[in-house]
Every structure is written in C-alpha cells, then in structure tokens.
Amino acid sequence: MTSVLDDFTRKLKSSTLDPLETYKDMAYHYTSIANIDSILPKEGRARLWASRHDCLNDASEGRIPEIRFKQASERLAESGKIDERFYALIHDVRPNRTDLIVPTIDGKTRPARSEFKTYVTSFSEDPDALAMWNYYSKGNRYEGVSIGFSLREILDSLDSALNADRTMKVRAAKVVYDEEEQLRMIERAILDPSNNYEPRYGTSVRYCIATLLTDLQPLFKLDCFSHEKEVRLYVKVFDKFKAAAPVNYRSSVGYMIPYVNLDFEKEAVFQITLAPSLDSEGQKKLQREVVREMLEVRGYQPTVKHSEIPVRY
C-alpha cells in the first residue's frame, strides 16, 4: 500500500522534484600551487576537501532559496496563479533539516531519515579565468594553478569507494546566479503541486517544497559571484552515518572550517593550467616540463599548459 506522499509525488513532473541536471563534464579547481602536494599526492588517491557550506566566506550562503521562495510565492499569489488557500498552506515553508536516505549495510537495504550537514567543493567551468586567478595573486605575480577534473570520473569513483553503502548523497551541479532564473525555477515547483493539490495532500505539498529548498541551498548564489561560473560537488553527510566521512577542521582568517576528505582515482585529473606569467617562453616551457615530470612520477598523466591571458601585473 502506497503512502499519501508517494501518491502525490507520482502526480508531479520529475523536474519539479529535481530541477537541476547533474554535472558530469570537465570542471576546473583553482588553488594555490602549494596545494598540489595535498590534492595530487604520490601515495594513495587524489584528494579534495569539501567544506561545510554554512561556514564558507559568502555570508549569504544557503539563504537564497528561502528568500526567492518568499518572493516567488507572493508573486504567484498576487497574480492569481495560486489561490489564497494554497498560499496560506505554503507561505511559511522552510528548508528541511532532515532527508531520507536508503543505504545498503551488511547486504540489507533500509530507508532511514536523519539530519545532515552539506559539504561543498568548488570548481569553475572556465579553465583560464582572470577573475579566478586574481584570488591567487601575490604582489605582482600569480601563484595559482587550475586543475582540470572529469566530474563524471570523480562521481563514479566516490560512489564505488567512499559511498559504496549509499550512506551519503553525492552530487555535482552548476550554480544558478540569475535572480529571475531562480524565481522561475521555484515558481514551477510551486505551480505543479498547486495544480495537483487536494486537501489530503497538504503535508505532502509542504514536504516536497521544503525538500526542494533544502536541495537548492548549495546551488543558489547572488549574481555578484557569477564571474566564477561555479560548479559544485556537494555531499550530504547524515548524522546517523557520519562515520562514513569523518569531519576534520582547518582554520581560515580566524574561523574554524569543518571539512571532509573526498578521495578519488588519479585518472580523474586530466589537465593542469599554470597561472599567467611574464616569464620568457623558455622559462614557461621549462616549468611545464618540471610540473609534468613531477606529476608523472606521482602517477598522473594530465596535459600541462600555461594560462593564455596576457597580463603584465
């Protein structure tokens, strides 16, 4: 016998419950060149850190979906696209603090609901972006590196090792910056439940919207960050299964940042782009050869190139 929630969700479009496509293309992680040792070590697997999303440097982090939901629901009510009864039902919905997970432990699959924390690691769609290099400028030099990864291979690797029991939820998607696009996405997620609403579905409507707002928290950002063209790989670590991804802590400008290690196969690394430089072409070529040699010794086979941005300082 199906639940009321199951009955309701079957009436909805798949894009209502999951409006964002999983990103599995190439993406680029900008970092200090000093971090190559920890990201691309010789021993073991490649490693990235995923930081808890409510401890990142963007003070609006995680708050945008709730703001856009308030705007979208009011706009739909004012235009008459949802009636007063439905608006009254949904207007105070907030993101969920829990989520449903279906792990397989000791050969047994059992659904479980738990509170969770979301951890994020960031990439850009652009392998050679001056706005990103500027984060790694030291005096009159750039000291960064752009590491190109196949997110498809990272996701596959994480699923086969770190998340083999499905005790976490791991995904990658593009960040949405445009306010109107954010509003339209949420409006569609309101109108579909509204069109299928019956009084017995009240709790289900609120649950579906709250779940969507939760899922969008790491993926809605303000337009002032749009130059980053960010792609995010994010992990939900559930309190009931937090031993699957032990939390570590690092300090940054006086703040403590929780993070988890994401280890994956070296084959996911396909390109290294060195920062813009005023060095001679001969010196650039030598540096590319040195970096390529270093990585080959460590078991990596990426293409190594220099930024093509012609900056003076």
Side-chain angles (χ1 to χ4, degrees), residues 8-55:
F8 178 65
T9 55
R10 278 199 294 268
K11 297 176 181 291
L12 303 179
K13 300 174 183 176
S14 60
S15 59
T16 298
L17 302 171
D18 189 9
L20 295 171
E21 292 185 10
T22 297
Y23 188 95
K24 293 186 177 182
D25 294 331
M26 306 305 178
Y28 306 86
H29 183 73
Y30 287 78
T31 186
S32 166
I33 197 165
N35 289 335
I36 283 185
D37 283 342
S38 60
I39 296 174
L40 307 178
K42 181 177 181 180
E43 304 299 330
R45 308 164 89 208
R47 168 175 289 179
L48 288 169
W49 289 352
S51 300
R52 213 171 88 182
H53 87 103
D54 56 352
C55 295

Side-chain angles (χ1 to χ4, degrees), residues 126-302:
D126 191 338
D128 193 11
L130 182 58
M132 298 303 295
W133 293 126
N134 283 335
Y135 290 131
Y136 302 97
S137 61
K138 303 288 185 181
N140 62 351
R141 291 188 64 87
Y142 292 94
E143 298 184 5
V145 61
S146 164
I147 307 175
F149 295 96
S150 164
L151 288 196
R152 180 184 301 277
E153 292 199 26
I154 289 181
L155 291 169
D156 289 347
S157 183
L158 292 175
D159 278 344
S160 64
L162 180 67
N163 196 31
D165 293 334
R166 299 299 187 266
T167 52
M168 293 177 285
K169 288 189 176 181
V170 183
R171 193 171 182 190
K174 290 183 184 181
V175 169
V176 180
Y177 299 100
D178 182 73
E179 179 176 339
E180 192 59 35
E181 184 180 355
Q182 293 169 351
L183 286 168
R184 287 195 300 269
M185 190 177 297
I186 291 180
E187 284 183 351
R188 289 194 296 268
I190 294 172
L191 288 171
D192 193 13
S194 173
N195 293 334
N196 289 282
Y197 175 68
E198 299 174 18
R200 66 191 180 102
Y201 293 143
T203 300
S204 299
V205 168
R206 291 177 60 87
Y207 174 80
C208 289
I209 292 174
T211 299
L212 175 66
L213 296 181
T214 302
D215 290 343
L216 294 177
Q217 283 181 321
L219 296 174
F220 275 14
K221 295 188 69 173
L222 295 175
D223 189 63
C224 57
F225 294 102
S226 61
H227 61 275
E228 296 178 347
K229 299 181 182 178
E230 189 175 359
V231 175
R232 285 187 160 183
L233 190 156
Y234 55 103
V235 181
K236 288 183 180 179
V237 178
F238 291 81
D239 291 357
K240 285 185 178 180
F241 306 103
K242 56 187 177 184
V247 178
N248 304 288
Y249 299 87
R250 60 183 175 88
S251 62
S252 178
V253 294
Y255 293 91
M256 295 303 298
I257 313 295
Y259 70 94
V260 297
N261 292 324
L262 303 180
D263 294 356
F264 49 91
E265 298 300 330
K266 293 178 177 181
E267 288 74 16
V269 182
F270 78 97
Q271 180 173 293
I272 302 291
T273 303
L274 302 178
S277 170
L278 286 176
D279 292 334
S280 67
E281 288 305 315
Q283 183 59 40
K284 288 182 179 180
K285 180 181 178 182
L286 176 60
Q287 278 300 298
R288 291 195 295 272
E289 290 173 353
V290 169
V291 171
R292 186 179 298 110
E293 176 185 309
M294 175 188 71
L295 294 175
E296 286 177 353
V297 168
R298 298 181 181 190
Y300 301 90
Q301 298 290 328

Side-chain angles (χ1 to χ4, degrees), residues 96-113:
N96 284 333
R97 296 175 58 187
T98 65
D99 196 2
L100 182 68
I101 193 166
V102 188
T104 301
I105 300 175
D106 296 329
K108 297 179 180 180
T109 300
R110 293 179 178 173
R113 180 166 294 281

